[in-house]
Every structure is written in C-alpha cells, then in structure tokens.
Amino acid sequence: MSNSFLYRDGSSALHRLDPGIKLCLLAWVVCSLFVFPWQVLLVADAVLLAWSWSVQLGRFISLRLLVMAGPFALALLWIHGTLLPAADRQSFPVLSWHLNYSPTGIGYALVIASRFITLLCASLLFVVTTHPLALLRSLEEMGVPASLSYLLTSPLLLIEQFSRRSHSIRDSQQTRGMNIQGSWLTRLKSLPSLFVPLVTLALSDTGERARVLEARGFRSLTRQRHEPSAEARRRGAWRKTILAVAVLQVVIKLCL
Amino acid sequence: MRLTTHTLTLMGVAVTINIVAALINKWFRLPIYLDCIGTLLVAVLQGPLAGAITGLVTNLLLGIMANPISAVFAPVSMVIGLSAGSLAWIGGFSRWWLALLSGCLISVALMIVAVPINIYMFGGVSGSGSDFFLAWLLHGGKSLYASVSVTVFSSNVVDKTLTALLVWLLIERLPLRIEAQYPFLRHSRRLTP
C-alpha cells in the first residue's frame, strides 16, 4: 500500500510531530499565502527546501516542485506578463526582436507563482512526512466521528485489493480478446469490458461489507469517554494556538 | 438522505474506484481523466448528497496521497456529485442520450465552481498543455474569465460525457440482486418487481 502514497519513512522532527499539529501548521501556511508578500513566501520556500535537503527529502521534494511548479510558473509569466492587456506595457529588445511585457502582469504572476510554490512546498512536506493512517488516528483523537473515520480509512485499505483485482480482470479480458493496444476508438470500446466486472464485483462486496460492519455493531458503538492524557491535552493546546494565530493574522490583514 | 452503513461502505468503495480508475486509464492511454466514475455511480445509486461526499473524500484523499493541489479542487468534485445526483433524480441517466446530455450539464456545473478557484488561486493557469489553448483564446481578445471558462469546459466535457455514458452502461448491466439494494436507482432505471 505504501507505493500509493507520497509518504517517505524517516525520523526527522517533522516525521515525529503530531499529524494534527502538522495539519494546523498547513492551515496556517494556507492563511499566510494571502497575508505575506511574495518575497517573504519565496524566502520561506528556500528555508523549507534547505531543511528538506538536510533530512534527505530534498531530492524528492525538489523534483516534484520542479515538475509541478516549473511549467506552471512559466505559463503564468507568459500569460499574465505578455498576453493579457495592460496599460503599462513596455518593450524590451531581445536580439533583433522586441518583447512586449507588462510589469504589473509580471508582478501578479510572481505573487500567484510564489503562493503556488509555497502551498506545494508546505503540502508536499506534510504528505511526505505524514503517513495517512497516522493522520487518520490523529483525526480520531481530535473527535472526528467514527463514520467519517471509516470513510477516510476504508479506501486506503481497499486500494491494493482493487488494484490487484483490476490487474486480474484486465489479464482475463485480454485472453478473451480485449484490445488495449489498438487505435483510440478500439481502446475506448474496451473500457466497459474492464469497468463492468470491476464495478459489479465491488457492488456485490458492498452489501456483504455493510452486513459485517452492522453485525459488529459499527453504528451502535458510542465513542469511549475518558480523560485525555497530559500529552493529548498539550497537543490540543498547540493545535488551537496555531489555528488562533492563523485566524488572527488574516483578521489583522483584513483590518489594515 | 440517511447515511446508512450500506451507503458508507458504498462511498468507501466508490472513492477507491475513483483512485484506481487513474491506474486503469494509464493502461488505455486515453486523453481523459475517468477520476469521477465512482462519484457519478454513487450519485446515481444513492443520490446527490452521497455523490457530493464521495467527491469531497476522493479529492481530500488524493490530496494527502498523491497531489496536494487535488484538495484545493475538492469543492469541484462535490459539485460533480451534487449535479450528477440531481440529474439522476430527474431521469438524466435513464437513456444513453440523456446520460450524454447529463455529462455536458455536469461539465457546465463544474466549470461554474472550478473557474473562480482556478483564477483566484492559480491565475487561470494549469501548467499543462491546455495553457496553449488558453493563450490562443487570450491572444484572440477574449477576457481571462471567458478564456479560462472555455478551457475548463472543453478539457472536461469529453471526460464527463464518456464517464456518464459508462455509468449508464454500468447501471444498465447491474444484476437484479444488486439493483434492489438501491431504491434511488428507480429514477434512472425501471426497477424489476
């Protein structure tokens, strides 16, 4: 299952930090995107990237950033800097040709690109250092209902099973003549021969799965009430403080 | 709509189908996403609310598993589920041509939500090949809002109509013992007594 995730094993401070606190920190970063100027965001990105290199995650995160944010930033500069109409258009000689650009458009592109890179950098650090199941356990500690926990957890546990099943359906259908190598029309016509058995099997399992859960008293279970440990209380206080800072900085920004 | 255990398990399975569909799409090498087939299926089987929750959970999980930007577009997936369920309720999946029409209407609904998110968060740019089409429209004098709307609609309409058609085909071929478990399906298919 770990192949489906971006999560990478490690023992860094961010790996050890409570997933709920990391989620709140991510929410704080999202709020900060609209508060701080693009120069501050880019410096923060540089710091985050430098830290990721120090804990052997730098190569993975930098490559992802390059692939996802590189074309995005270039397209932004091209479209907002040179294509959109602007009053402050200027001409810049490049060899025997003149590049028309708008400083306002370039400035706007830099704002959006820095927000995108920061969002991507922070969220990549979050997903790379947080195992989804650890995050779900933390959400449960934060009081997320059992039904929502099930909804978030069950796909994580089913993905491998469904991948194996779709592989075996594909192989059997190919022996029966399903063509996934022909023209696009042939491939399109072959789609139902894979999806129909996959979905029908999945729906058959659903009834059985629900009956097993009902038999175990899934819906009748009440949440266990017990005094939270000192550690859990401390984590809760940190989460509330981070969220309060995030909200406060947005309020200050709106008031100024 | 009451969120029964059966609905919960169905939604969990549908989210998995959404995620695995991306893998299947790689085998077929088709220029479509197929990432909302489970959402549409739940919407047709259980109604708009279940469809919306399925879409939301899919994007949140993709956000923590594969691509963090997916989480930003979670409201778009919710709208896909909501609109598909509402269309199913008025019989939008009862005939193949109605399913095609529903696919187009779902694309319009998702465009209404996706365009403001795309422009506000990402300046209307996606960093993919569709940016060339966007640039061509802008060069032709269209406004940013109109150009992004056309780009989002055109890059989704084929995918959503094909997905809607596939869902229609799936519910047409459902065995009797399964169809009886989903009363909402009567809006899309005459249930066998």
Side-chain angles (χ1 to χ4, degrees), chain A residues 5-6 68 71-72 75 78-80 83 116 123 127 150 155 167 170 180-181 187 192 196 199 203-204 206 214 219, chain B residues 3-5 8-10 16 27-29 41 64-68 122-123 125 127 131 135 138 169-170 174 178:
Chain A
F5 303 142
L6 288 182
M68 293 171 84
F72 177 80
W78 177 40
I79 285 171
H80 286 275
L83 284 178
F116 182 80
S123 49
V127 292
Y150 172 80
H167 272 100
R170 181 196 63 180
I180 58 170
Q181 300 297 335
R187 282 179 273 141
V196 171
V199 171
L203 292 179
S204 308
T206 307
E214 291 281 8
R219 300 307 291 258
Chain B
L3 226 55
T4 60
T5 308
L8 271 178
T9 48
L10 174 69
T16 315
W27 297 337
F28 286 88
R29 292 175 288 113
L41 190 69
I64 60 170
M65 276 174 59
N67 181 1
F122 309 118
V125 172
D131 288 339
L138 287 170
L169 196 69
L170 286 167
L174 269 190
I178 295 178

Side-chain angles (χ1 to χ4, degrees), chain A residues 63-76 116-117 120, chain B residues 127:
Chain A
L63 270 176
R64 281 255 163 189
L65 264 180
L66 199 66
V67 169
M68 293 171 84
F72 177 80
L74 286 176
L76 258 177
F116 182 80
I117 293 167
L120 202 56

Side-chain angles (χ1 to χ4, degrees), chain B residues 48-69:
Chain B
L49 185 60
I53 297 172
T54 307
L56 174 74
V57 173
T58 302
N59 274 49
L60 291 182
L61 279 181
L62 281 175
I64 60 170
M65 276 174 59
N67 181 1
I69 301 302

